[in-house]
Amino acid sequence: MRTLFMGTPDFALFSLRALVEAGENIAGVITQPDRPTGRKYRLTPPPVKVWAAGRGIPVYQPEKLRDDKFTELLTGLDPELIVVAAYGKILPRSVLGYPKYGCINVHASLLPEYRGAAPIQRAIIDGKSVTGVTIMQMDDGLDTGDILLTHKVPIHERDNFQTLHDKLGKSGAEALLKTLRLLREGKITRTKQDHSKATYATKIEKSDCLIDFSKPAREVYNLIRALSPSPLAFVRLPDDCVLKVPEAEVANDFCLDNCGAPGTVISLERGIVVACGSGAVRLLRVLPECKCCMSAEDFIRGRRISIGDKLS
């Protein structure tokens, strides 16, 4: 099948790479325009563009999908199938209805659970032990189309966003290739979603990243690992400076109750131990403002932080 691929970040690369390595007929790649990133706001191409262009695959970066210019591009590429993985824009009906085999999407959750922008982070934040990927026949709703295939993926105790992202990306690529094989063989089945069971994984905002130590230690730990290595959960020190936290653990050597007022530093042994609503967490690595990431022990040696300090 003549296939058009639409995707932007690293997650999409797993699927694009699998399609190319499997010898699929890739007519071109649609990805988001270059965006300014980093502290210096340098114009940076998306990962999918860099990888595809390096292999001679035509890359297009339209600002809009609803104008005549994109319609001409789509007609010229004339795909029989469109594969979408974390593209970042809603596809209009004119695009959804163009290919003979429609548009299929690689989504990083077990739909109808965690529809939306941040399914990986939200699954970890919610303390899930299992998530997965869904290959979906797209319609004009937000992740509401028929399910073609699912793969379950366990969430381990030490998984953070990056490790789970990579496992889901690999699983999604495998599920995508299996879906295409079934599609060619005429053996694909479509299952309607139970919309009454739908949940939504809203975009991670800055306000989501502020650690609330009044919550149980397990919930605080889940937030920290869900946002690592980016955008990172953070706290404010007594001097009001921001301290980001890439790595932590539940401090099981401290009792669940009577650890002290939430947010209070109660120990500096093997890290910064902070009391929570119940139990405590140990901050293992930290990222101070305008500094490099360091171990909590190096941070303790390098600046004044004391037992009894309050992190807010």
Side-chain angles (χ1 to χ4, degrees):
M1 292 174 287
R2 185 171 171 81
T3 301
L4 177 63
F5 184 84
M6 302 180 74
T8 301
D10 288 322
F11 180 80
L13 268 181
F14 287 91
S15 292
L16 176 58
R17 189 183 301 117
L19 291 172
V20 172
E21 291 176 354
E24 295 291 341
N25 180 14
I26 306 300
V29 166
I30 306 292
T31 189
Q32 294 274 10
D34 297 358
R35 305 291 188 199
T37 60
R39 291 179 179 175
K40 296 184 179 180
Y41 289 92
R42 289 177 177 167
L43 201 61
T44 305
V48 161
K49 175 184 177 180
V50 174
W51 192 90
R55 284 150 185 81
I57 301 171
V59 177
Y60 308 93
Q61 296 175 279
E63 288 284 354
K64 298 179 181 179
L65 302 180
R66 301 175 184 270
D67 58 13
D68 293 340
K69 188 175 180 181
F70 184 76
T71 299
E72 291 176 9
L73 173 62
L74 187 62
T75 303
L77 294 172
D78 196 26
E80 296 174 276
L81 174 73
I82 295 178
V83 173
V84 182
Y87 173 57
K89 285 184 179 180
I90 299 294
L91 273 58
R93 289 185 179 182
S94 58
V95 177
L96 293 170
Y98 184 91
K100 176 181 178 181
Y101 297 101
C103 302
I104 62 174
N105 176 246
V106 184
H107 185 76
S109 80
L110 297 174
L111 292 171
E113 190 174 57
Y114 296 118
R115 295 172 177 174
I120 304 174
Q121 295 98 325
R122 296 295 178 186
I124 300 175
I125 288 172
D126 290 346
K128 294 286 186 179
S129 60
V130 176
T131 184
V133 291
T134 300
I135 308 300
M136 173 190 65
Q137 190 80 42
M138 296 178 70
D139 60 18
D140 54 4
L142 179 60
D143 299 326
T144 56
D146 293 348
I147 294 170
L148 304 179
L149 200 70
T150 60
H151 276 186
K152 290 185 178 180
V153 174
I155 303 176
H156 296 303
E157 170 70 14
R158 299 299 296 177
D159 272 330
N160 63 10
F161 168 71
Q162 186 66 63
T163 59
L164 185 57
H165 167 280
D166 292 352
K167 287 194 291 186
L168 288 168
K170 181 179 179 181
S171 182
E174 293 170 354
L176 174 62
L177 294 183
K178 183 176 180 180
T179 301
L180 296 188
R181 185 175 71 251
L182 292 172
L183 188 63
R184 277 191 289 265
E185 294 172 356
K187 297 179 181 179
I188 201 75
T189 58
R190 297 170 57 149
T191 304
K192 297 286 184 183
Q193 293 190 42
D194 184 347
H195 302 303
S196 68
K197 295 181 179 179
T199 59
Y200 290 87
T202 56
K203 180 183 176 182
I204 299 295
E205 304 288 352
K206 186 175 181 180
S207 58
D208 295 314
C209 302
L210 178 62
I211 298 173
D212 180 1
F213 288 109
S214 70
K215 294 183 176 180
R218 173 62 56 178
E219 292 185 23
V220 173
Y221 168 64
N222 287 341
L223 176 72
I224 291 170
R225 64 192 184 114
L227 303 180
S228 181
S230 179
L232 292 177
F234 71 92
V235 299
R236 290 192 177 275
L237 298 169
D239 61 5
D240 206 37
C241 288
V242 169
L243 184 70
K244 295 184 177 182
V245 186
E247 185 179 1
E249 67 182 11
V250 176
N252 290 317
D253 46 335
F254 289 81
C255 62
L256 286 176
D257 300 312
N258 302 318
C259 280
T264 303
V265 177
I266 58 176
S267 174
L268 297 176
E269 293 184 10
R270 306 193 313 278
I272 303 168
V273 182
V274 186
C276 300
S278 62
V281 293
R282 178 177 280 108
L283 311 185
L284 300 174
R285 289 192 299 127
V286 295
L287 179 62
E289 283 185 293
C290 303
K291 301 283 185 178
C292 296
C293 189
M294 62 182 69
S295 70
E297 292 171 330
D298 286 343
F299 179 75
I300 293 166
R301 286 192 290 266
R303 72 177 285 155
R304 293 177 63 184
I305 186 167
S306 306
I307 294 175
D309 282 351
K310 186 72 177 293
L311 307 183
S312 61

